[in-house]
Amino acid sequence: MQRTMFRWGVLGALAGLAAGMAPAQTVSGRETAATASRAVPGMQAPVPGALPIPMEQGTELARLVEAAWALQPEALAAGARARAGAARREIAGQWTAEPPAVSLSAKTDRFNGREGAREYEAGIALPLWLPGERAHTARLADAEEGAEQGRLAAARLRTAGQVREAWWQWLRAEAVLAQAQERLTSAEALAADVARRVRAGDLALVDRHQADGAMASAQAGVAEAEGALEGVRLALGALVATEDLRPAPAAQARRREGVPEPVPTASEAVAAVDAHPELIALRRKAEVARRAAELASVQERANPELALLTTRDRGARGEAYRQSATVALRIPFGGGSRHEARVASALAEAMEAEAQLEREQARVRAQAAAARARHSAAQAQWEAAQKREALAAATRGFVQKSFALGETDLPTRLRIEQEAADAARDAVRARLDRDAAVSGLRQALGLLPPGSPLDTAAAPEAPPR
């Protein structure tokens, strides 16, 4: 009886030891959700069938960027990737390199000698960490989590660039439609005035035909502008998964500012280039490669195993059972060429990522300089277009008065009207181009639109461990 109790006591201790290999703390669903929210700040889960535009304060462009980002595959998979990162960190906190393994065996001579020999063995094998392997595994898990956050920030910035491009196309098409509608209103008024004067005998019938032709041309311009606006509306709506985009009234669309994003100062531009999301993503990719190389350098062989076994046996029928315990240590030989291949591959990945980072730094700085030059040119063009619009409007006023007094013929009036319309169109386009150049400069610097949950698309640098 005492031997039986001892046997079951040993087996119970082994089972308890196997259960104790798992970490004491587990990750609940609420903690996992919190981890996911920390990994992607400001991200909200999209609601099926609804416009996923956050309700917080921000500009219209910022809300559209957030709506488009919530639909991106990277954002949708961010929660699962955050849980994977938490699991990798949890692995580094475990006591053993691999899950323990339980072994059970029985030996008998029942099928040959039938002398009653019996042997029963139960044991557990514990894979052990190599020296330094556990610490390097934890560092690699942290580096992979930082790389994932950097990749999400870079993807968020690319989404912002797509929305910005579609947004400015929408505003330009909206402004063109507003100007076409104003031109049509002016052409209709002129045609009505010319028709009245033709009936009064002040103008010839050919003048009425010219006025009606100008009105028809304006109607065609409105139809063309409406078609172009519908195309860009659908393109922008596809990015943010909504069709609730309506053009502003003509007077408002012609005068409203597009998205007045602030122009970065010189110091802000330098800081933004250094914290550019794409550069951070590459830095963290290189960090992952370096950590992987460090881990591979200490994994020279397979993990050793510590085995704890208990044996109960007898030599023949009628003999008393004997109880024994065994402690075994299994140490594999070194990996040799396999180990060198893993280390060399990890180092090659690190060298490639660092070289790519250098190239990307040069490209980002060149893009920022080009965007700054485009903004300066757009500012100068807008100032010149403003002067031309003012002069054309003044000339138009003079010609309107002289035409009403009969001192100017209709062809001259139509020519001046066309010049004034062209000047107004160029001024509006120059203003939108200037504002779009500011947006392009911020995009080149890696900055999100003001009002976004992250004013900069760059994720914070992970602290060194």
Side-chain angles (χ1 to χ4, degrees):
M1 177 64 70
Q2 292 179 352
R3 293 177 179 176
T4 302
M5 293 179 63
F6 176 76
R7 178 186 62 185
W8 291 111
V10 173
L11 291 177
L14 291 174
L17 184 60
M21 291 303 102
Q25 297 180 350
T26 58
V27 180
S28 64
R30 182 177 301 176
E31 293 171 346
T32 302
T35 303
S37 63
R38 289 194 300 270
V40 190
M43 190 196 74
Q44 297 183 358
V47 179
L51 177 63
I53 296 182
M55 299 305 294
E56 60 266 10
Q57 296 292 332
T59 63
E60 186 175 0
L61 177 58
R63 292 194 296 271
L64 291 176
V65 168
E66 291 308 304
W69 170 244
L71 299 171
Q72 297 302 308
E74 295 88 350
L76 296 175
R81 292 186 181 277
R83 291 192 295 272
R88 285 192 293 268
R89 291 196 308 273
E90 186 176 332
I91 291 173
Q94 291 180 348
W95 297 349
T96 58
E98 296 289 342
V102 175
S103 63
L104 300 172
S105 65
K107 185 169 65 174
T108 179
D109 63 348
R110 177 177 299 176
F111 304 104
N112 45 16
R114 294 182 177 272
E115 295 179 358
R118 300 287 186 272
E119 180 178 312
Y120 304 99
E121 185 180 77
I124 183 171
L126 308 175
L128 304 179
W129 293 103
L130 291 168
E133 183 183 12
R134 185 176 181 181
H136 286 301
T137 300
R139 295 191 185 101
L140 177 59
D142 291 339
E144 288 175 342
E145 183 180 10
E148 177 61 22
Q149 293 181 2
R151 192 181 69 87
L152 288 177
R156 190 189 191 100
L157 180 63
R158 289 192 295 270
T159 301
Q162 295 174 355
V163 174
R164 274 169 164 154
E165 183 178 357
W167 168 256
W168 288 111
Q169 290 179 356
W170 157 266
L171 289 186
R172 289 188 180 98
E174 188 183 63
V176 169
L177 177 60
Q179 288 180 330
Q181 291 171 343
E182 289 184 357
R183 181 185 175 192
L184 176 59
T185 301
S186 177
E188 289 174 344
L190 178 60
D193 181 43
V194 170
R196 179 184 57 78
R197 295 177 65 175
V198 168
R199 288 193 297 270
D202 294 340
L203 294 176
L205 184 60
V206 66
D207 293 329
R208 180 174 181 177
H209 290 169
Q210 289 181 341
D212 290 343
M215 183 176 65
S217 177
Q219 291 173 344
V222 169
E224 181 181 0
E226 288 176 345
L229 180 61
E230 181 65 13
V232 296
R233 184 188 72 84
L234 293 175
L236 179 58
L239 285 175
V240 299
T242 181
E243 296 182 357
D244 189 19
L245 295 172
R246 297 290 180 267
Q252 179 184 356
R254 188 180 186 279
R255 295 177 176 84
R256 77 171 181 171
E257 293 289 334
V259 175
E261 296 189 57
V263 180
T265 63
S267 58
E268 292 174 345
V270 172
V273 168
D274 293 336
H276 198 283
E278 294 183 357
L279 298 183
I280 288 181
L282 287 176
R283 291 192 191 105
R284 294 182 175 180
K285 180 181 177 181
E287 179 69 14
V288 170
R290 286 193 296 270
R291 296 301 185 188
E294 293 173 357
L295 177 60
S297 65
V298 300
Q299 291 177 331
E300 299 178 355
R301 57 176 58 86
N303 295 95
E305 285 186 355
L306 175 65
L308 304 176
L309 304 101
T310 179
T311 305
R312 186 170 182 268
D313 63 342
R314 71 180 183 184
R317 185 179 297 105
E319 294 183 3
Y321 278 95
R322 297 184 300 271
Q323 196 80 31
S324 63
T326 304
V327 178
L329 180 62
R330 176 178 175 270
I331 301 178
F333 290 116
S337 300
R338 294 183 180 88
H339 172 252
E340 293 180 0
R342 288 197 302 269
V343 174
S345 178
L347 290 176
E349 291 287 341
M351 294 174 60
E352 182 179 350
E354 290 173 354
Q356 187 178 1
L357 175 60
E358 293 180 0
R359 299 290 298 173
E360 191 69 14
Q361 285 176 337
R363 186 189 66 83
V364 167
R365 289 190 174 90
Q367 283 188 344
R372 194 175 296 109
R374 286 193 295 269
H375 171 253
S376 300
Q379 179 70 23
Q381 291 174 356
W382 176 66
E383 293 173 356
Q386 272 188 313
K387 295 179 182 178
R388 181 192 174 198
E389 181 187 22
L391 294 173
T395 303
R396 179 187 181 189
F398 297 150
V399 173
Q400 285 178 342
K401 293 179 181 178
S402 63
F403 178 76
L405 297 174
E407 298 176 355
T408 303
D409 58 2
L410 182 61
T412 302
R413 169 72 187 277
L414 293 176
R415 179 176 58 82
I416 297 301
E417 288 284 344
Q418 183 63 42
E419 291 179 357
D422 292 343
R425 181 187 67 248
D426 292 343
V428 172
R429 287 182 176 177
R431 176 178 59 78
L432 291 175
D433 289 343
R434 179 206 60 183
D435 294 341
V438 176
S439 186
L441 175 59
R442 293 179 62 87
Q443 178 70 25
L445 294 175
L447 301 175
L448 289 178
S452 298
L454 295 176
D455 287 339
T456 60
E461 288 285 359
R465 292 179 60 92

